[in-house]
Amino acid sequence: MMHDLTGAPYRWPDDLVELWRRCLRRAACDPGWDARPPWQGDPELRAALGAVLGLSVAAGGPLVSSGIRPLVAPFALLGRRVVVERPSFLGVVTAFERCGARVLQADLREALRIARPAREHLLWITSPWRNPDGWSLDRAAADRLAGFVADGGVLVQNETYRFFTPPGLRAEGLRVPGAFVAGSMTKAAGPWARLGWLHGHTVPPQVEAHLRAAAPPAVWQRAWARFAADGGVERLLERCRAVAAFTAHASAVSGARQHGGASVLVRLGIEEPVDHLLREHGLRVGDGQDFGAPAGTVRLCFLGCPADCDHRALGLLPYPDAHRAGALPQRQDTGP
């Protein structure tokens, strides 16, 4: 049997699918379904997002966007040199480069050193529960980043994985004062969601122009607002917490610092670990190098795992330290 830990999305249960379809049909019947939405976003949707994110609409956010990657272009138009933390999803780097930005990658401490003068740089981080390794801001890092912002730097904090906190494990959940807070429902709902948010006390003209031109249609935003009001978003958040429980278990088993999120970065004591795990054990994993991590690391991502997934085999992976417990058992079948 093939086990996919690459992050492929899990199929929604039938009753949740039907709830979404009802919300979409009702939104399509609303007066003004075909109107242009306010550039800040549908008021009911903003309130729903603000409630789950702890962001006050009265304080200026969250603003509705179509996701994380579409926000890259308007931030690239600020004309600043971009520094992306490492490890991180390299698609962000590629997106900035395609927009003509100069991009550097570095771990956070080095990133803060090279992003000088701050007024000429934009720093992009993911917290809490960074993909691929589950890192989150602590108070010391948040204070250093606050100094960068105070000196004129632009900081974008991607919070897409904020929902993925397992029961019994507290996320730091820190936000840097003056930072832009961005996020997406893509990991919670699926790649089709086309819904995200942005919060910042002052929105640059380039970013506002993007939000005005590329916001999700009014009918789509209203459908999401109804979905939230009818309990659909809470169902998605329950799913996120279940995924985070898998992540916490895997991080503990691998000897890493226990964390939430959707993925774990581990180093295995074998050559070409991605090919080896697929060939010998039918286990699909991501290559850590795709996230700026060292060779020999793999990313295990649990977004596609059902609630009853059996992960006892994680304790048998060939870790190169005291947690080594032997090789994975050989695959017994060749099914899809």
Side-chain angles (χ1 to χ4, degrees):
M1 180 177 180
M2 189 73 68
H3 294 278
D4 191 341
L5 295 183
T6 62
Y10 183 58
R11 186 179 179 87
W12 282 18
D14 291 343
D15 64 327
L16 194 59
V17 172
E18 182 54 34
L19 175 60
W20 168 254
R21 288 172 175 164
R22 288 201 306 270
C23 292
L24 190 56
R25 286 194 296 266
R26 288 164 57 199
C29 293
D30 282 349
W33 68 271
D34 56 346
R36 183 186 297 274
W39 76 266
Q40 299 95 333
D42 177 84
E44 291 185 17
L45 178 56
R46 293 181 67 201
L49 289 173
V52 297
L53 294 166
L55 294 172
S56 170
V57 175
L63 308 176
V64 176
S65 77
S66 53
I68 283 289
R69 292 203 211 183
L71 288 172
V72 168
F75 275 107
L77 287 174
L78 298 181
R80 295 180 175 230
R81 195 177 195 184
V82 177
V83 183
V84 177
E85 64 182 347
R86 177 184 287 149
S88 184
F89 175 55
L90 296 188
V92 173
V93 175
T94 301
F96 269 111
E97 289 177 339
R98 286 174 176 171
C99 293
R102 295 180 299 162
V103 185
L104 297 175
Q105 282 188 273
D107 65 72
L108 185 57
R109 188 175 296 275
E110 177 67 7
L112 284 167
R113 188 189 68 81
I114 63 179
R116 295 293 172 183
R119 64 181 179 276
E120 297 178 3
H121 286 80
L122 181 150
L123 180 56
W124 186 287
I125 68 168
T126 299
S127 177
W129 313 131
R130 178 174 63 191
N131 179 21
D133 63 343
W135 172 85
S136 296
L137 280 173
D138 57 22
R139 176 53 60 189
D143 288 345
R144 292 196 298 272
L145 288 166
F148 168 76
V149 174
D151 288 341
V154 171
L155 174 67
V156 180
Q157 182 175 342
N158 177 359
E159 290 194 327
T160 294
Y161 295 93
R162 175 173 286 276
F163 302 138
F164 292 82
T165 299
L169 187 62
R170 178 179 174 273
E172 290 289 344
L174 296 175
R175 289 178 173 137
V176 178
F180 291 97
V181 175
S184 168
M185 291 299 293
T186 296
K187 301 305 179 184
W192 57 270
R194 290 298 184 267
L195 178 66
W197 59 88
L198 177 71
H199 176 78
H201 295 296
T202 303
V203 179
Q206 299 91 327
V207 178
E208 180 180 330
H210 162 79
L211 293 173
R212 289 181 178 276
V219 65
W220 195 251
Q221 294 192 37
R222 290 184 183 183
W224 271 106
R226 289 183 177 276
F227 189 66
D230 290 350
V233 168
E234 180 54 38
R235 289 277 303 278
L236 295 180
L237 300 189
E238 290 174 1
R239 166 66 185 165
C240 291
R241 291 188 285 269
V243 171
F246 291 143
T247 305
H249 169 69
S251 60
V253 166
S254 67
R257 174 186 53 82
Q258 192 174 24
H259 60 77
S263 57
V264 177
L265 191 68
V266 296
R267 183 161 187 155
L268 301 178
I270 50 179
E271 294 184 2
E272 299 182 351
V274 174
D275 292 340
H276 176 89
L277 294 178
L278 177 61
R279 181 179 64 252
E280 299 297 330
H281 311 296
L283 186 65
R284 295 183 184 273
V285 300
D287 191 332
Q289 294 181 92
D290 293 339
F291 300 85
T297 57
V298 297
R299 185 195 71 150
L300 314 178
C301 187
F302 303 96
L303 287 173
C305 297
D308 59 351
C309 188
D310 182 357
H311 286 139
R312 286 177 295 179
L314 290 174
L316 303 178
L317 287 170
Y319 304 111
D321 53 23
H323 289 81
R324 182 193 297 271
L328 277 167
Q330 291 297 314
R331 195 171 39 166
Q332 298 299 313
D333 62 75
T334 57

